[in-house]
């Protein structure tokens, strides 16, 4: 698939709402996208954007794990909380892309590193039996 074909597929899949920002390299590369529906810039793997439902972009939920669990739940009842949650979720995903360790991420966003570590394990980024507390 070339760049034009990929962008055409994204266009079709998201009804023109999602625009590709980064240059398309291959299905496994992490890319930056912009969704005009929820006005969010987010990162995802090129193939995931056209993959299973839980791997695709869902408005206000920029990130889902390989198992279809969303990293952080968004509450629609409280606008401020929603915005904050979305920003944190985006930040975590960005840091994963940038190869931060779970400890660095945890200290950066000031949460218990166990939460981030569990997420890394769920994603298969680290082994669950690691001796790295
Ligand atoms: Zn969206």
């Amino acid at each position: 698939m070339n760049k034009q074909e990929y962008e055409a597929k994204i266009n079709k899949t998201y009804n023109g709402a999602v625009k590709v920002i980064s240059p398309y390299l291959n299905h496994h590369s992490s890319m930056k996208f912009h969704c005009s529906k929820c006005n969010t810039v987010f990162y995802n793997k090129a193939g995931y954007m056209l993959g299973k439902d839980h791997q695709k972009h869902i408005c206000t939920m920029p990130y889902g794990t390989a198992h279809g669990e969303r990293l952080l739940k968004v509450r629609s009842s409280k606008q401020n909380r929603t915005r904050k949650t979305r920003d944190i979720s985006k930040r975590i995903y960005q840091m994963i892309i940038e190869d931060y360790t779970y400890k660095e991420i945890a200290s950066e966003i000031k949460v218990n590193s166990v939460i981030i570590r569990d997420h890394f394990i769920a994603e298969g980024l680290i082994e669950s039996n690691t001796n790295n507390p």
Side-chain angles (χ1 to χ4, degrees):
M1 200 186 309
N2 65 27
K3 185 173 180 285
Q4 276 80 19
E5 286 166 343
Y6 182 74
E7 287 179 3
K9 280 213 160 129
I10 289 289
N11 209 33
K12 201 179 165 201
T13 304
Y14 296 93
N15 293 316
V18 172
K19 292 270 172 282
V20 181
I21 297 174
S22 322
Y24 174 76
L25 298 172
N26 60 55
H27 248 48
H28 305 287
S29 60
S30 294
M31 294 173 61
K32 198 173 179 181
F33 301 87
H34 176 257
C35 174
S36 58
K37 246 194 207 168
C38 57
N39 197 27
T40 303
V41 172
F42 59 95
Y43 296 82
N44 201 351
K45 289 211 167 143
Y48 280 12
M49 287 298 285
L50 302 171
K52 296 180 182 137
D53 278 350
H54 68 255
Q55 296 171 331
K56 289 179 185 165
H57 168 69
I58 294 177
C59 287
T60 75
M61 290 185 171
Y63 185 55
T65 72
H67 307 287
E69 293 161 44
R70 299 285 157 179
L71 180 55
L72 294 166
K73 298 252 187 308
V74 176
R75 293 194 187 183
S76 54
S77 54
K78 288 179 183 171
Q79 211 68 41
N80 286 344
R81 198 191 171 96
T82 302
R83 174 155 220 116
K84 203 178 169 196
T85 306
R86 197 193 308 167
D87 288 348
I88 290 171
S89 175
K90 258 161 62 181
R91 182 75 188 116
I92 291 172
Y93 189 49
Q94 213 172 327
M95 286 189 283
I96 291 172
I97 298 274
E98 289 166 10
D99 274 343
Y100 279 67
T101 67
Y102 71 84
K103 281 181 190 168
E104 287 167 339
I105 295 173
S107 89
E108 173 89 15
I109 60 171
K110 296 179 180 65
V111 299
N112 192 328
S113 64
V114 173
I115 296 168
I116 306 295
R117 183 170 162 259
D118 286 349
H119 176 69
F120 268 57
I121 292 166
E123 277 284 84
L125 295 169
I126 56 173
E127 296 290 323
S128 59
N129 61 357
T130 180
N131 287 326
N132 205 1

